[in-house]
Amino acid sequence: QTQRITDRIPELFSWLEMLDINVVIIVILMIVISIVNMTSAILIIILERQHFVGILKTIGMSEWTLRKVFILHSSRIIFRGLVIGNIIGLGLVMLQQYTSIVPLDPSQYYLDTVPVKISWIYLILLNVLTALVCVISMILPAMYVSRLKPAEALRFH
């Protein structure tokens, strides 16, 4: 008589499904943290460049063009962070994959090293979605530029 392994040990597979939920929660938390960090960074950049904003508004630059300047600047920071993070992350994964630097106790885990697998589709999808969400979320803080008055920005230089 045959039995499916999922019927014999359902607790194990329900536990493994919970691990997938943890991954989703961790990714969402990382994206939220990156949005908060980038929002504070763009606001600091805007406040540091108040005089610059005042000059550009005085010579007639439109609000949308001015916002675009700050969105593009923050996008450059986001992409640089993604590239550096991917290099470090992929470097660590490849180090584990080729050298098995992180060992496991075979009597406890039935494995002698931590197994790793790079899913390039998920990696690319995660990077694209993270970049899109972060860049789109920069639109709201960039709107703060519209609230700056040229006279006040130039007065306090």
Side-chain angles (χ1 to χ4, degrees), residues 72-101:
L72 289 174
H73 185 64
S74 62
S75 297
R76 198 172 322 130
I77 295 170
I78 289 168
F79 290 121
R80 190 177 307 148
L82 279 173
V83 168
I84 292 169
N86 280 319
I87 289 171
I88 292 171
L90 287 172
L92 290 172
V93 167
M94 296 219 179
L95 183 70
Q96 174 63 23
Q97 187 173 13
Y98 294 115
T99 65
S100 301
I101 197 166

Side-chain angles (χ1 to χ4, degrees), residues 12-23:
L12 176 69
F13 289 96
S14 66
W15 179 75
L16 287 172
E17 287 174 7
M18 286 178 54
L19 289 177
D20 290 340
I21 293 171
N22 289 343
V23 169

Side-chain angles (χ1 to χ4, degrees), residues 18-79:
M18 286 178 54
L19 289 177
D20 290 340
I21 293 171
N22 289 343
V23 169
V24 170
I25 290 171
I26 289 170
V27 167
I28 289 171
L29 283 174
M30 288 172 59
I31 290 173
V32 167
I33 289 169
S34 65
I35 289 171
V36 168
N37 285 336
M38 281 308 302
T39 301
S40 63
I42 194 171
L43 288 174
I44 289 170
I45 291 169
I46 289 170
L47 291 175
E48 284 180 349
R49 309 254 193 261
Q50 254 182 328
H51 184 72
F52 172 70
V53 171
I55 290 172
L56 291 177
K57 279 188 167 187
T58 302
I59 61 174
M61 183 176 264
S62 70
E63 298 288 337
W64 172 242
T65 307
L66 197 54
R67 277 188 226 133
K68 237 177 13 179
V69 167
F70 287 101
I71 291 171
L72 289 174
H73 185 64
S74 62
S75 297
R76 198 172 322 130
I77 295 170
I78 289 168
F79 290 121

Side-chain angles (χ1 to χ4, degrees), residues 9 18 45 66 70-71 107 120 139 145 155:
I9 319 170
M18 286 178 54
I45 291 169
L66 197 54
F70 287 101
I71 291 171
S107 66
W120 294 104
I139 294 172
V145 173
R155 183 181 318 146

